[in-house]
Amino acid sequence: MSEPADRRYGPATLPRARGPLSAAVVEALRRPPHDLPADLGVDLDPADPFTDEDLQLTLFLCYELHYRGWLGVDESWEWQPTLLALRARCERVFEAALRRLVGAPTVPAAGVAAGLAELVAADNGPALAATLQRRADLTQFREFVAHRSVYHLREADPHSWALPRLGGPAKAALVEIQTDEYGNGRLDRMHAELFRRTLDRLGLDTGYGAHVDVAPAVTLATNNLMSLFGLHRRLRGALLGHLAAFEMTSSLPNRRYGNGLRRLGFDEVATRFYDEHVEADAVHEQIAAHDMCGGLVRAEPALASDVLFGAAAGLAVDRLFAAHLLDSWAAGRSSLRAPAPPALPAVPPRVSLVALPAVAPPAPPALV
């Protein structure tokens, strides 16, 4: 196995286990590929799959083998049959929980684009973006960014799994969206790279997967949802629906995130990731709903309900994520798994040394 020349881009270090199932997987991945016990995970029955740390980390461990892999882990684990069998057991539990959570959204007579608009209009999740814009302190904003880094440092990758599974108008529309996400081929404009600069401005580790260990189950679930949809061809409609809902609900929250950072005194380097999404996602919204999802359903009408399921599932799990953060902060505790006091972030250009303590509590969480 070759070592990466630049650790910023992965693979990440294996995280710590969170229960017997993830412990068995972590231990196995440290060794050459071999068969896992046949009964591993057969009695899996968590009370709440979305907050079960062991289940969500196990899924994340398995899924990451299809992205950047894990540092020091033999790449042949990606297709090891008994590990895939374990993943399938975990996926059945997770997907069943998703379908219980959102049911089977009805496709309106006006079509799938109208159905997406109805789901978005009815979404009344917790006001996380408004809180970050108006009231969150620096510690809370850093926590939010650490949570989101799990996805944003590989932004667009899960949805790109759909590209070889599509043809015609839906594929063309997805390519148009993804081209923007990947910076039109320019490294400095890739959204993942813009987010890396935000992490750096906030004094956080910019390495790929650096914050997985402190991300709770519900954060991993928002990422596992995309991987579940992306890695199964049968769920390609759900994957596009998820992306459409993501784009249709992104512009205003990103404006608020950028304004929140400006309120805390950060400069345009810190806010560019969010500012970029205000304009880009307003355009992507129409492409995603009408050209991408509408194009898919015109070619494959039977996938309409899958599109709406994926959108509803994405919105619902994001509501759980937002509620976790806001409930944690309201209770005066960290929303991350392992808070501890690191050094304060570097002072951004527009923040004075005098002003910084007013927004920086003395013991922000450790995000390493």
Side-chain angles (χ1 to χ4, degrees):
M1 291 176 287
S2 60
E3 290 293 316
D6 192 335
R7 293 283 177 82
R8 289 178 299 171
Y9 305 120
T13 301
L14 276 171
R16 294 184 294 270
R18 304 183 188 182
L21 203 56
S22 57
V25 174
V26 169
E27 176 59 27
L29 292 178
R30 295 188 189 282
R31 298 160 50 198
H34 59 275
D35 286 345
L36 303 178
D39 61 349
L40 189 62
V42 295
D43 56 352
L44 189 62
D45 186 25
D48 182 357
F50 302 109
T51 60
D52 189 279
E53 299 287 350
D54 201 24
L55 170 66
Q56 292 299 335
L57 181 59
T58 298
L59 277 171
F60 194 88
L61 288 164
C62 293
Y63 286 146
E64 185 58 29
L65 294 168
H66 300 286
Y67 290 100
R68 315 289 175 83
W70 296 105
L71 188 63
V73 171
D74 191 313
E75 293 181 346
S76 297
W77 271 111
E78 181 181 9
W79 300 110
Q80 209 288 330
T82 60
L83 183 61
L84 291 176
L86 172 62
R87 193 190 90 185
R89 295 181 197 116
C90 295
E91 287 178 327
R92 283 192 288 271
V93 172
F94 186 37
E95 185 176 347
L98 289 168
R99 295 191 182 278
R100 289 194 302 270
L101 182 65
V102 303
T106 301
V107 182
V112 72
L116 289 167
E118 290 175 8
L119 284 173
V120 168
D123 185 45
N124 58 351
L128 177 60
T131 298
L132 288 162
Q133 177 185 3
R134 298 169 184 162
R135 296 187 298 278
D137 60 31
L138 181 54
T139 293
Q140 292 165 342
F141 216 110
R142 293 176 81 221
E143 286 188 17
F144 168 72
V145 169
H147 283 284
R148 287 305 198 193
S149 72
V150 180
Y151 169 65
H152 285 316
L153 289 179
R154 67 179 182 201
E155 180 154 348
D157 290 351
H159 298 109
S160 291
W161 287 110
L163 285 169
R165 294 167 177 170
L166 302 174
K171 184 167 192 163
L174 179 56
V175 167
E176 183 174 357
I177 292 171
Q178 298 300 78
T179 297
D180 280 349
E181 300 290 340
Y182 292 125
N184 290 285
R186 287 182 52 182
L187 177 64
D188 63 316
R189 295 177 61 181
M190 288 177 61
H191 289 182
E193 292 304 305
L194 297 181
F195 190 79
R196 181 170 279 110
R197 290 179 211 153
T198 300
L199 283 167
D200 183 62
R201 271 297 196 258
L202 270 65
L204 299 173
D205 192 330
T206 65
Y208 178 82
H211 306 294
V212 169
D213 248 338
V214 295
V218 70
T219 302
L220 299 185
T222 64
N223 289 272
N224 288 337
L225 174 66
M226 289 180 261
S227 298
L228 171 69
F229 292 166
L231 288 168
H232 291 273
R233 186 180 181 280
R234 67 180 176 86
L235 294 172
R236 62 195 180 280
L239 182 64
L240 296 195
H242 179 279
L243 177 57
F246 198 88
E247 299 293 344
M248 294 170 74
T249 58
S250 176
S251 188
L252 178 57
N254 276 293
R255 185 184 300 277
R256 287 174 167 165
Y257 302 147
N259 287 341
L261 282 175
R262 279 183 278 272
R263 173 179 59 82
L264 292 172
F266 285 85
D267 66 356
E268 63 276 6
V269 175
T271 65
R272 186 180 173 193
F273 171 83
Y274 299 114
D275 297 339
E276 172 79 12
H277 282 75
V278 173
E279 181 177 348
D281 290 354
V283 175
H284 291 172
E285 174 181 349
Q286 298 303 315
I287 298 170
H290 295 277
D291 301 333
M292 185 181 71
C293 291
L296 174 70
V297 171
R298 285 192 295 274
E300 299 185 80
L303 296 183
S305 59
D306 286 352
V307 169
L308 296 187
F309 163 66
L315 294 170
V317 176
D318 274 354
R319 286 195 296 271
L320 298 178
F321 167 78
H324 168 76
L325 268 66
L326 293 175
D327 290 348
S328 297
W329 295 341
R333 63 177 182 268
S334 173
S335 62
L336 297 166
R337 297 187 68 246
L344 285 172
V347 180
R350 291 176 51 202
V351 178
S352 72
L353 288 170
V354 174
L356 183 58
V359 295
L367 308 172
V368 296

